[in-house]
Amino acid sequence: MTTRERKPSRRRLPKAAVAAAAVLVLLAGTALAAVGAPGTIRDWFAREWEEITGDTMDAEQLDLIDRLTKPVGVSDTQNGTTVTVDSVTVGNSTVWMLVKVSGDYTQEKESLYHFQGMDLTLDPDPDLVDTPGGYSLDYPYVGVAEDGTLTMLVRFTIDLAGQSSLLDGVRQATLLVDNLMYSDQAMTEGHWTLTFPLEPGEVGTVLTLEEIQAPAMDLETRKTRTISLRDVEISATDITYVQSVEDQKWDPLRCALVLQDGTVVEQSSGASRFRDEARTQWSSVYYWQVPVDLTQVTAVRFGDTEFPLK
């Protein structure tokens, strides 16, 4: 394993460790719950968009969310507590799941609710590359609705090295959650299993750049230089690109999309792995903070350097 592969900033987790480790590690970054839990994924994205941009989400962006989102409504009840996957939004390598837990949850810090264990399995497996990779789960939002329903937005991200997509077709998804917790206190013990079809919505536009010269930083020395990024593909939910093995230690500066009205939507988390078994192509994926209607995008930005897309 190279030095670059060990960097924690990439959130690269082996699949076997996800249920035990990913949730606990990533929970530290959970957004604080806002007053009044959003009732739908659409509501949450609209709220998040306003928080990020300072403006309301327009009709075109809302329509994109609707096209990517499917109702689910699958529930499992253990020890008197029902866990429901209400709906899902599916992107190229990201799934947002709106999960609701019945009961009267009134603790002061709502964001401290979480499941002790959590995993998502997909059949068929979308990972087609036989190189070290991983996936992760976290909670962008946790809140309690007025009726006492605990509402969680669970995000699943996976590094597919640009070789496949969650939008390729229908998959069987199974969300496994264990023991509802408040901080380190067990609220309800149980093992809930929620199986549902992961149905992709409309794929939409994909923007491409064959090769660009982007600013990058060596995270160990903090030095900067320009490197080549090839096979740049931008979807509504993420960006993927390839760099040479020689440039593997150089991290491109923070990426963002620039919209026609000047709105900027930045990357959130990301991951890297080799795209090929010969380990000659170092591939990265970064996920946008929220899905973006690419018909409104004019440029992609790395650091302060913009690359026109239209």
Side-chain angles (χ1 to χ4, degrees):
M1 181 176 290
T2 66
T3 300
R4 173 67 176 274
E5 286 178 281
R6 293 196 296 268
K7 291 184 182 301
S9 62
R10 289 294 191 175
R11 292 186 176 182
R12 297 184 70 255
L13 294 173
K15 295 182 178 179
V18 171
V23 174
L24 298 180
V25 171
L26 297 176
L27 188 59
T30 299
L32 292 178
V35 176
T40 66
I41 289 183
R42 191 181 200 259
D43 292 342
W44 183 83
F45 279 125
R47 179 181 295 188
E48 188 72 359
W49 184 274
E50 188 167 355
E51 179 72 20
I52 292 168
T53 69
D55 202 356
T56 56
M57 182 175 275
D58 63 28
E60 289 78 9
Q61 299 290 349
L62 289 170
D63 182 59
L64 170 68
I65 302 301
D66 290 341
R67 296 198 310 269
L68 294 176
T69 302
K70 299 289 185 181
V72 177
V74 170
S75 300
D76 186 18
T77 301
Q78 301 292 327
N79 297 325
T81 297
T82 299
V83 177
T84 301
V85 177
D86 176 86
S87 50
V88 299
T89 300
V90 184
N92 187 51
S93 52
T94 313
V95 179
W96 290 268
M97 295 169 281
L98 189 65
V99 176
K100 298 186 176 183
V101 185
S102 64
D104 185 16
Y105 300 97
T106 58
Q107 298 284 355
E108 183 177 352
K109 295 183 178 180
E110 298 171 355
S111 62
L112 295 183
Y113 283 109
H114 64 103
F115 290 103
Q116 189 174 39
M118 182 164 59
D119 196 10
L120 182 74
T121 64
L122 297 175
D123 184 20
D125 187 348
D127 191 353
L128 304 179
V129 183
D130 189 20
T131 61
Y135 59 82
S136 63
L137 290 147
D138 66 343
Y139 301 91
Y141 176 88
V142 179
V144 176
E146 292 183 1
D147 64 359
T149 300
L150 178 62
T151 303
M152 301 174 167
L153 190 69
V154 177
R155 183 180 64 163
F156 169 85
T157 57
I158 184 168
D159 182 1
L160 298 172
Q163 300 301 288
S164 61
S165 169
L166 298 178
L167 299 172
D168 288 343
V170 178
R171 304 179 191 278
Q172 190 82 338
T174 300
L175 180 65
L176 305 163
V177 294
D178 298 325
N179 300 337
L180 180 64
M181 309 288 290
Y182 181 78
S183 186
D184 58 355
Q185 176 186 357
M187 303 296 292
T188 305
E189 293 185 357
H191 306 284
W192 293 267
T193 300
L194 302 120
T195 299
F196 54 93
L198 194 69
E199 301 180 67
E202 183 179 330
V203 176
T205 305
V206 175
L207 304 177
T208 62
L209 293 168
E210 185 175 344
E211 185 171 358
I212 59 175
Q213 303 299 310
M217 177 182 290
D218 183 327
L219 297 183
E220 293 182 353
T221 66
R222 313 305 291 179
K223 292 181 179 179
T224 59
R225 56 167 285 197
T226 298
I227 66 171
S228 294
L229 302 181
R230 298 180 288 103
D231 300 334
V232 181
E233 293 191 356
I234 300 165
S235 76
T237 54
D238 59 45
I239 179 171
T240 61
Y241 51 81
V242 175
Q243 60 201 80
S244 69
V245 175
E246 292 75 19
D247 289 336
Q248 184 183 347
K249 70 176 183 178
W250 293 92
D251 257 22
L253 298 187
R254 190 165 183 84
C255 184
L257 293 178
V258 182
L259 278 61
Q260 295 167 351
D261 62 1
T263 296
V264 175
V265 178
E266 294 190 347
Q267 68 178 57
S268 57
S269 62
S272 295
R273 68 190 294 190
F274 284 104
R275 177 174 286 194
D276 58 326
E277 293 183 36
R279 302 197 175 197
T280 62
Q281 301 178 64
W282 184 247
S283 171
S284 296
V285 58
Y286 277 97
Y287 316 101
W288 306 126
Q289 294 167 306
V290 294
V292 180
D293 175 16
L294 296 187
T295 65
Q296 300 186 40
V297 172
T298 60
V300 60
R301 176 190 296 169
F302 286 89
D304 295 327
T305 304
E306 289 191 7
F307 302 91
L309 291 168
K310 293 185 178 180

